[in-house]
Amino acid sequence: MRRKSGTPFRLVKDGVIAALILVMGTLIAAKVDGLNQERFSGRFTAVDGDTVSRDGERFRLVGIDAPELGQTCLRDSNEWPCGAEAKAYVKTLLQSGTVECSGNERDRYKRLLVRCSVDGKDVAAQIVTAGYAVTTEYFLFSREQALAQNQRAGIWSGTFEQPRDWRREHKAADMDVPLAGVLSLVRHALGW
């Protein structure tokens, strides 16, 4: 009668090999995905606190949501134009050095979703740290947002409405206006 020797060791060995194959496949997929990224560098302008443009094309910064241009926030019971200040902050960031952006997906408004850096520093991370945007990803920029909250920077210096809630509320208000449907269609087509 023949005895099976090494069976537990063989199961461990097979498990390790399977895990390594899975890791290698993931790394290869990530590398291939990175090859498909569109890359841009040069002069960019701020559209608002989370959107930039170059040569007429708009790019949406991944992982953040900034107050809208018309949005205001409260600080010491006074309203301040947090949306306009977010845009002004992004404008100064974009003018401070060489801007490089890359991405490979588009949002529903056909904007390329990008990660941008200025002289090697992530633009979205700087916006969140300055308190001009909230993070939309659970782990992405959570440390920067906590820092902004602790320092009561930007929107964290008082009270504010989440940008997504502000947009939803104002879209509903637009529906009360005559021709609101046409205006919403035009805004959607232009990516506003």
Side-chain angles (χ1 to χ4, degrees), residues 167-177 180:
R167 282 190 299 275
R168 189 176 326 122
E169 180 181 310
H170 284 78
K171 184 176 182 180
D174 283 349
M175 295 304 166
D176 295 337
V177 178

Side-chain angles (χ1 to χ4, degrees), residues 15 17 21 23 38 43 50 55 62 65 73 75-76 87 90 110 116 122 124 131 141 149-150 165 171 184-185:
I17 290 172
I21 290 171
V23 168
E38 295 181 53
R43 185 176 173 87
D50 53 27
D55 298 332
V62 172
D65 195 12
C73 298
R75 181 188 300 141
D76 299 326
K87 177 184 177 179
V90 173
K110 307 288 188 241
C116 295
D122 190 288
F141 311 124
Q149 287 173 309
N150 289 337
D165 297 336
K171 184 176 182 180
S184 294
L185 180 63

